Amino acid sequence: MRRRKSGSKLIRLIEFILFGALIFSLSNMIMAQAKIMKVKSENSKLTQAIDEIKNSNEKLTEKNEVLQTTIIEKKDLYAEKMKDVKIAYLTFDDGPSKNTLDILKVLKDYNVKATFFVNGHKSLTHLYKKIAKDGHAIANHTYSHDYPTIYKSVANFKNDVKKLDSFITEITGNEPNHILRYPGGSNNTISRKHGGKNIMKDILKAMDEEGYVYFDWNVDSTDASKYRQDKDKIVSSVLSQSKRARNGKAVILMHDLGPKITTVQALPEIITGLREQGFIFDVISKDTYKTQFTKIK
Ligand SMILES: [Zn+2]
């Protein structure tokens, strides 16, 4: 009798344990099911969000394509319009000098911006500052302008150009614009004496690889033909050559050097005469029509 009692107790205990285990696993299953449902719903939300992003992305791509086409069309239109615009680029080589302030005064009076292809003159830092402050472009004409040094080797030339870049940046705070004019022009033959017959070709290639764009000229003021050229000769040279300048773009060579007083005196008539011919004035940038005597490629 006692044994039976204790036997049924054991069975009830086992039943209880089994029932507990069943409840436990059932509740686990329900919880797992709920988790799955939650993940599924999150997943479908994410899929929906992805679809929306894909959609808007497609729309943006379409818009972008339309914009790109518009930009290209506008650029073409601008280039087409600028083709007919006559632009004069006054350029002054070899400065600064004792004439720089006088040149700047005329340019200011006539509201014209110019490009100064300067060299390195340690004692004239105030003039570089003034040129930059007045809104003119300062471009590279090598630090030393010394033919035997700069045209001796590619490395010499590069060093001299970089030396001027650092010098100008230190004074004006402006980063180099990588616009260059070769002393004597890109087609000079003097360089051969110092660096051999291929020296210009090698330098042109090397500087192009360094990201420099160089500009010769298509209008020569002739102020370097004599120690002091006649003022009227400078005016007539500039005005007659500009009239024939290709594409209506005149890159005018002048000098900012002590003896070149007649260049300063000629400036007002040059500016007035060019305006009468329909020219506007601009500074040289990398996009400027390239007057180059020697092509690199
Ligand atoms: Zn020069």
Side-chain angles (χ1 to χ4, degrees), residues 146-205:
D146 182 52
Y147 290 176
T149 310
I150 58 173
Y151 290 138
K152 176 107 187 133
S153 69
V154 171
N156 274 18
F157 190 87
K158 213 188 279 182
N159 287 341
D160 214 70
V161 164
K162 301 267 181 191
K163 188 179 174 185
L164 183 70
D165 273 351
S166 314
F167 179 71
I168 293 167
T169 301
E170 204 174 296
I171 296 165
T172 64
N174 296 341
E175 287 302 312
N177 54 17
H178 296 118
I179 292 167
L180 179 68
R181 175 170 283 160
Y182 289 94
S186 67
N187 62 342
N188 77 81
T189 49
I190 312 156
S191 54
R192 288 180 202 165
K193 204 170 86 187
H194 309 292
K197 70 176 172 61
N198 286 326
I199 188 69
M200 275 322 288
K201 208 180 98 208
D202 293 345
I203 291 175
L204 285 165
K205 193 168 167 278

Side-chain angles (χ1 to χ4, degrees), residues 93-94 117 119 141 145 147 181-185 253 255 257:
D93 285 14
D94 306 343
F117 285 96
N119 303 120
H141 195 42
H145 204 288
Y147 290 176
R181 175 170 283 160
Y182 289 94
L253 173 71
H255 291 84
L257 273 171

